Amino acid sequence: MSQPSEALGWRSVGDLVGRHPDARVALIGAPLNERSLTPGRCDLGPKVLRGVLPRLSTYDVETGLELDIKVHDAGDVALKAVSPFDAFEPVRDAVAAQAHRDLTILVGGNNAITRPGVHALGLDRVGVLTLDAHFDLRDTDQGLTNGNPIQALLDDGMDGRRISQVGLAPFANTRRAHEKAEAAGISVRTARECRQRGLVNVVVEELERLSSLCEVVYVDFDIDVIDRSQWPASPGARPGGVSVHDFFDAARAIGAHAKVRAVDLTEYDPSLEIGDLGSLTAGRWFCEILAGVAAR
């Protein structure tokens, strides 16, 4: 039987995403934008990510992997002009509704979606790994923002020893936040350590640490962890962040870990795009997550 012509197109990752009730993976859009400390358009992230997937093929020339994992698109949570406080239940419930799958991919939106995503897996059984330039331990006395989801989880009663923060950047955080993290028992791994020891090595170590303490793991990919020269599409990205190559390798390792049941991508602001750099980077991240799941 002859194969279809690739003269004008190929099978894309976009072809894997649709209404697939029995799929191992689910995709949820969480276009939360309210109370971002730096105003922007993170609410555009889910639409732009979906739009770029037809440009990405299902074949990895480096490993010979052909992606063939169906992804159930559960749509977007309705979050237009909704505060992080009021977004909590809708986002939590949307992620919890997909808990029977191997993995749920939550695409933001700002970092305030992380707290309800974590709650969806059960606060008493989950560990949290963040890839982030920032601690996100700002005080909550003025309400919820994209700058305090980790502090909010601690306020909720989460044991800080079940939190790992990887990729923290110099001159992007405060001494007080660092001291808060240490006092809570959070594992802190800086951008320099990731560069010297290898991001994927640090991530694997933290996944194993969390796995010894927790039944399931939630991973927050705040994409501003990437070096700003390679990722300009987040207001919080800084020069000296992790390389995009290491970010992709870490995403695949995370997707492959059996205890990782939900991941999010946050702080992608398409209004800061230079060319298609942001959308293609986010799309490649999506592919790497699926490649990891394929290896489970």
Side-chain angles (χ1 to χ4, degrees), residues 8 36 39 41 80 96-97 106 108 121 143 154-155 170-171 173 191 206 211 223 231 241 248 268-269 279:
L8 299 178
S36 294
R41 293 302 309 273
K80 184 176 178 60
L106 184 65
L121 298 187
L154 294 177
D155 293 349
F171 306 108
N173 294 284
E206 290 301 326
S211 294
I223 201 164
W231 176 259
F248 293 147
Y268 169 33
D269 182 350
S279 61

Side-chain angles (χ1 to χ4, degrees), residues 137-294:
L137 285 168
R138 290 176 183 258
D139 297 328
T140 56
D141 59 324
Q142 300 297 313
L144 299 175
T145 70
N146 66 335
N148 59 23
I150 301 303
Q151 182 61 55
L153 287 169
L154 294 177
D155 293 349
D156 294 335
M158 186 168 188
D159 186 342
R161 293 172 297 180
R162 292 192 279 118
I163 301 173
S164 298
Q165 296 194 271
V166 173
L168 295 152
F171 306 108
N173 294 284
T174 65
R175 180 185 298 277
R176 184 162 179 241
H178 195 178
E179 291 173 347
K180 277 187 183 183
E182 291 180 333
I186 294 172
S187 179
V188 175
R189 313 294 289 268
T190 66
R192 177 179 290 275
E193 183 178 3
C194 293
R195 187 167 61 250
Q196 292 177 339
R197 300 194 59 245
L199 175 62
V200 73
N201 295 325
V202 173
V203 162
V204 169
E205 288 174 5
E206 290 301 326
L207 284 174
E208 292 310 303
R209 188 187 75 81
L210 292 172
S211 294
S212 70
L213 300 172
C214 312
E215 296 176 43
V216 293
V217 176
Y218 183 102
V219 181
D220 164 37
F221 289 87
D222 180 336
I223 201 164
D224 70 19
V225 75
I226 301 174
D227 183 87
R228 194 174 184 95
S229 67
Q230 298 176 303
W231 176 259
S234 290
R238 303 293 181 94
V242 305
S243 79
V244 72
H245 308 289
D246 290 344
F247 183 79
F248 293 147
D249 288 346
R252 188 174 297 211
I254 287 165
H257 200 283
K259 282 198 173 184
V260 174
R261 300 298 301 277
V263 301
D264 69 34
L265 184 76
T266 63
E267 299 299 323
Y268 169 33
D269 182 350
S271 73
L272 299 177
E273 285 271 21
I274 297 176
D276 298 323
L277 180 59
S279 61
L280 288 168
T281 300
R284 170 72 181 273
W285 167 85
F286 186 82
C287 295
E288 295 293 344
I289 294 291
L290 295 186
V293 175

Side-chain angles (χ1 to χ4, degrees), residues 40-57:
R41 293 302 309 273
C42 288
D43 56 305
L44 299 175
K47 179 180 179 181
V48 173
L49 174 68
R50 289 187 179 96
V52 81
L53 296 181
R55 297 177 62 184
L56 297 160
S57 85

Side-chain angles (χ1 to χ4, degrees), residues 18-25 70-72 98 100-102:
R19 297 294 298 176
H20 304 298
D22 298 326
R24 295 171 60 192
V25 177
K70 297 294 185 182
V71 178
H72 175 64
Q98 307 300 327
H100 60 287
R101 305 185 194 276
D102 290 349

